[in-house]
PDB file of all heavy atoms in Angstrom:
ATOM      1  N   SER A  69      -0.805  12.527  -9.807  1.00 83.00           N
ATOM      2  CA  SER A  69       0.545  12.599  -9.341  1.00 83.00           C
ATOM      3  C   SER A  69       0.738  12.856  -7.932  1.00 83.00           C
ATOM      4  O   SER A  69       1.948  12.768  -7.470  1.00 83.00           O
ATOM      5  CB  SER A  69       1.305  13.676 -10.177  1.00 83.00           C
ATOM      6  OG  SER A  69       0.874  15.039  -9.914  1.00 83.00           O
ATOM      7  N   LEU A  70      -0.222  13.098  -7.200  1.00 85.00           N
ATOM      8  CA  LEU A  70      -0.025  13.213  -5.676  1.00 85.00           C
ATOM      9  C   LEU A  70      -0.118  11.880  -4.958  1.00 85.00           C
ATOM     10  O   LEU A  70      -1.043  11.651  -4.203  1.00 85.00           O
ATOM     11  CB  LEU A  70      -1.184  14.227  -5.141  1.00 85.00           C
ATOM     12  CG  LEU A  70      -1.017  15.667  -5.567  1.00 85.00           C
ATOM     13  CD1 LEU A  70      -2.177  16.483  -5.083  1.00 85.00           C
ATOM     14  CD2 LEU A  70       0.236  16.276  -5.118  1.00 85.00           C
ATOM     15  N   ALA A  71       0.908  11.121  -5.276  1.00 85.00           N
ATOM     16  CA  ALA A  71       0.898   9.772  -4.624  1.00 85.00           C
ATOM     17  C   ALA A  71       2.418   9.350  -4.656  1.00 85.00           C
ATOM     18  O   ALA A  71       3.221   9.828  -5.369  1.00 85.00           O
ATOM     19  CB  ALA A  71       0.067   8.769  -5.567  1.00 85.00           C
ATOM     20  N   GLU A  72       2.583   8.407  -3.755  1.00 82.00           N
ATOM     21  CA  GLU A  72       4.084   7.875  -3.684  1.00 82.00           C
ATOM     22  C   GLU A  72       4.552   7.090  -4.840  1.00 82.00           C
ATOM     23  O   GLU A  72       5.749   7.054  -5.173  1.00 82.00           O
ATOM     24  CB  GLU A  72       4.230   7.024  -2.360  1.00 82.00           C
ATOM     25  CG  GLU A  72       4.019   7.915  -1.176  1.00 82.00           C
ATOM     26  CD  GLU A  72       4.189   6.995   0.206  1.00 82.00           C
ATOM     27  OE1 GLU A  72       3.605   5.957   0.131  1.00 82.00           O
ATOM     28  OE2 GLU A  72       4.886   7.392   1.131  1.00 82.00           O
ATOM     29  N   TYR A  73       3.635   6.399  -5.474  1.00 82.00           N
ATOM     30  CA  TYR A  73       3.911   5.656  -6.784  1.00 82.00           C
ATOM     31  C   TYR A  73       2.962   6.055  -7.863  1.00 82.00           C
ATOM     32  O   TYR A  73       1.775   6.107  -7.626  1.00 82.00           O
ATOM     33  CB  TYR A  73       3.900   4.184  -6.488  1.00 82.00           C
ATOM     34  CG  TYR A  73       4.870   3.580  -5.476  1.00 82.00           C
ATOM     35  CD1 TYR A  73       4.668   3.623  -4.019  1.00 82.00           C
ATOM     36  CD2 TYR A  73       6.175   3.290  -5.839  1.00 82.00           C
ATOM     37  CE1 TYR A  73       5.543   3.231  -3.147  1.00 82.00           C
ATOM     38  CE2 TYR A  73       7.114   2.823  -4.875  1.00 82.00           C
ATOM     39  CZ  TYR A  73       6.781   2.720  -3.632  1.00 82.00           C
ATOM     40  OH  TYR A  73       7.643   2.374  -2.682  1.00 82.00           O
ATOM     41  N   VAL A  74       3.432   6.194  -8.980  1.00 81.00           N
ATOM     42  CA  VAL A  74       2.663   6.543 -10.136  1.00 81.00           C
ATOM     43  C   VAL A  74       3.155   5.767 -11.433  1.00 81.00           C
ATOM     44  O   VAL A  74       4.378   5.623 -11.645  1.00 81.00           O
ATOM     45  CB  VAL A  74       2.752   7.996 -10.578  1.00 81.00           C
ATOM     46  CG1 VAL A  74       1.914   8.325 -11.804  1.00 81.00           C
ATOM     47  CG2 VAL A  74       2.174   8.861  -9.385  1.00 81.00           C
ATOM     48  N   ALA A  75       2.191   5.143 -12.174  1.00 82.00           N
ATOM     49  CA  ALA A  75       2.599   4.395 -13.366  1.00 82.00           C
ATOM     50  C   ALA A  75       2.206   5.291 -14.551  1.00 82.00           C
ATOM     51  O   ALA A  75       1.162   5.808 -14.611  1.00 82.00           O
ATOM     52  CB  ALA A  75       1.804   3.171 -13.512  1.00 82.00           C
ATOM     53  N   VAL A  76       3.320   5.509 -15.391  1.00 83.00           N
ATOM     54  CA  VAL A  76       3.160   6.510 -16.482  1.00 83.00           C
ATOM     55  C   VAL A  76       3.539   5.787 -17.834  1.00 83.00           C
ATOM     56  O   VAL A  76       4.462   5.057 -17.855  1.00 83.00           O
ATOM     57  CB  VAL A  76       4.060   7.706 -16.318  1.00 83.00           C
ATOM     58  CG1 VAL A  76       3.925   8.687 -17.492  1.00 83.00           C
ATOM     59  CG2 VAL A  76       3.713   8.432 -15.039  1.00 83.00           C
ATOM     60  N   ASN A  77       2.672   5.890 -18.818  1.00 83.00           N
ATOM     61  CA  ASN A  77       2.988   5.354 -20.133  1.00 83.00           C
ATOM     62  C   ASN A  77       4.280   5.954 -20.649  1.00 83.00           C
ATOM     63  O   ASN A  77       4.614   7.091 -20.424  1.00 83.00           O
ATOM     64  CB  ASN A  77       1.852   5.604 -21.108  1.00 83.00           C
ATOM     65  CG  ASN A  77       0.646   4.743 -20.804  1.00 83.00           C
ATOM     66  OD1 ASN A  77       0.720   3.714 -20.052  1.00 83.00           O
ATOM     67  ND2 ASN A  77      -0.501   5.226 -21.335  1.00 83.00           N
ATOM     68  N   GLU A  78       5.042   5.203 -21.371  1.00 84.00           N
ATOM     69  CA  GLU A  78       6.416   5.647 -21.750  1.00 84.00           C
ATOM     70  C   GLU A  78       6.466   6.894 -22.621  1.00 84.00           C
ATOM     71  O   GLU A  78       7.288   7.670 -22.653  1.00 84.00           O
ATOM     72  CB  GLU A  78       7.181   4.471 -22.335  1.00 84.00           C
ATOM     73  CG  GLU A  78       6.628   3.966 -23.670  1.00 84.00           C
ATOM     74  CD  GLU A  78       7.526   2.801 -24.247  1.00 84.00           C
ATOM     75  OE1 GLU A  78       8.501   2.431 -23.636  1.00 84.00           O
ATOM     76  OE2 GLU A  78       7.202   2.378 -25.383  1.00 84.00           O
ATOM     77  N   GLU A  79       5.386   7.086 -23.487  1.00 84.00           N
ATOM     78  CA  GLU A  79       5.177   8.178 -24.281  1.00 84.00           C
ATOM     79  C   GLU A  79       5.025   9.439 -23.510  1.00 84.00           C
ATOM     80  O   GLU A  79       5.200  10.656 -24.071  1.00 84.00           O
ATOM     81  CB  GLU A  79       4.150   8.060 -25.360  1.00 84.00           C
ATOM     82  CG  GLU A  79       2.772   7.904 -24.826  1.00 84.00           C
ATOM     83  CD  GLU A  79       2.272   6.539 -24.628  1.00 84.00           C
ATOM     84  OE1 GLU A  79       3.244   5.600 -24.502  1.00 84.00           O
ATOM     85  OE2 GLU A  79       1.132   6.204 -24.614  1.00 84.00           O
ATOM     86  N   ASN A  80       4.584   9.359 -22.277  1.00 86.00           N
ATOM     87  CA  ASN A  80       4.357  10.610 -21.457  1.00 86.00           C
ATOM     88  C   ASN A  80       5.507  10.827 -20.361  1.00 86.00           C
ATOM     89  O   ASN A  80       5.439  11.518 -19.465  1.00 86.00           O
ATOM     90  CB  ASN A  80       3.124  10.570 -20.795  1.00 86.00           C
ATOM     91  CG  ASN A  80       1.919  10.512 -21.745  1.00 86.00           C
ATOM     92  OD1 ASN A  80       2.075  11.222 -22.634  1.00 86.00           O
ATOM     93  ND2 ASN A  80       0.958   9.728 -21.483  1.00 86.00           N
ATOM     94  N   ALA A  81       6.607   9.966 -20.391  1.00 88.00           N
ATOM     95  CA  ALA A  81       7.734   9.982 -19.446  1.00 88.00           C
ATOM     96  C   ALA A  81       8.986  10.301 -20.278  1.00 88.00           C
ATOM     97  O   ALA A  81       9.322   9.869 -21.253  1.00 88.00           O
ATOM     98  CB  ALA A  81       7.913   8.635 -18.750  1.00 88.00           C
TER      99      ALA A  81
END
Side-chain angles (χ1 to χ4, degrees):
S69 60
L70 290 176
E72 290 181 316
Y73 296 89
V74 175
V76 178
N77 290 339
E78 64 180 4
E79 63 267 23
N80 296 322

